[in-house]
Amino acid sequence: MTELGLVRHSALQHFERARRRARREQLSAKLSGRERHLLPFDAIRAQLLQKNPMYAGLHPVPLDRIAGSVGRYAEFTRRFLPLNDSFRERWVRIEALCVTEGWPPIEVYEIGDVFFVKDGNHRVAVARQMGIESIEGRVWTFPEELTLDPVDSLDDVLIQLGERRFMQETGLERLDPQHTIRFTTPGRYTELLVQIADLREKLTHIDGEEMPYDEAVAAWYEMIYLPTLQIIHDAQLLKQFPGRTEADLFVWLSVHRERLSGHYGRYDNLMQLAAALADRYGQGSVRRLARQVKRLLGQDAPAPLTIPANVASDED
């Protein structure tokens, strides 16, 4: 066999091994419910405060810190294992080029401690299967104070970005450094910002002059959020929703307040609704409360925070 034939044979073996590993990862992800795809760069960039990266130069990029892609995030697993057999011939050409001539640098964006491939996804995939630890890359970096990790899920990243935006806009960490506003699903901080804006508008109308934003934040936190959390604690409402936080339940009650009120009676505010649920079922009947609320909202699993738009009625 010629030298080129040996290179091609070795590359084919690497590709087939990578595809077998990819299939195992897919099966593992399906059984465990964990996300195995690369992080999508555009979804994360859209949440950054600084939209324009700075060129940091040509550097060795550690392969184990590359966890995302600009346009091919659905074509590889998080470890850059190929999810499509159509990559076979391209894989062979790229590996042969590495052995005979070497590769041009890849291009990557850096956010926190994670790199996202702009150009060179296949080179990264081949390099990982060849046991290479780093690859030369032109690096553009976003000056964001984030602590991303290559193993973070997309939800983990979006929750962190949402929390940072919320804290920067509201200054709540200065108001209460011991706050417990933590979510397990992304997008929930936006609901809190809407509540603050609504309360500010109402108080401005009552007072006849515009309320400063920081005062509206303090009013929302002290008049709405903390009292509702106290009811949630006192009634032990979280017991039947493992893995969720008190902030999760607060937003869930907020979002579905109209539907709950339609069934349990209408109340002037969220605290009254939460108190009515607690009073009706009591501490000794939390399980029955959870069943009733989940049945009302068409949710059988103990995770009442991802409810579809068209919920079932009591008769369903």
Side-chain angles (χ1 to χ4, degrees), residues 180-184 225 228-253 274 277-278 282-283 285-291 293-294 301-305:
T180 58
I181 301 180
R182 300 287 185 272
F183 292 108
T184 61
Y225 187 76
T228 306
L229 249 60
Q230 188 61 53
I231 295 169
I232 290 172
H233 280 299
D234 291 346
Q236 303 179 33
L237 297 182
L238 275 177
K239 277 191 172 182
Q240 295 304 309
F241 307 113
R244 299 300 187 177
T245 67
E246 55 193 16
D248 285 330
L249 189 52
F250 172 85
V251 167
W252 180 80
L253 287 170
L277 293 175
Q283 292 188 16
S285 304
V286 177
R287 186 179 300 275
R288 190 156 62 94
L289 165 64
R291 282 201 307 271
V293 170
K294 284 182 280 186
L305 304 173

Side-chain angles (χ1 to χ4, degrees), residues 296-307:
L296 170 65
L297 297 171
Q299 178 80 0
D300 294 326
L305 304 173
T306 54
I307 299 167

Side-chain angles (χ1 to χ4, degrees), residues 259-274:
R259 292 169 184 170
L260 291 167
S261 296
H263 187 77
Y264 292 104
R266 296 202 168 271
Y267 299 91
D268 292 336
N269 55 53
L270 186 62
M271 289 87 74
Q272 288 183 6
L273 172 60

Side-chain angles (χ1 to χ4, degrees), residues 178-193:
Q178 306 302 317
H179 74 87
T180 58
I181 301 180
R182 300 287 185 272
F183 292 108
T184 61
T185 53
R188 301 298 176 180
Y189 288 101
T190 301
E191 169 64 22
L192 302 187
L193 291 173

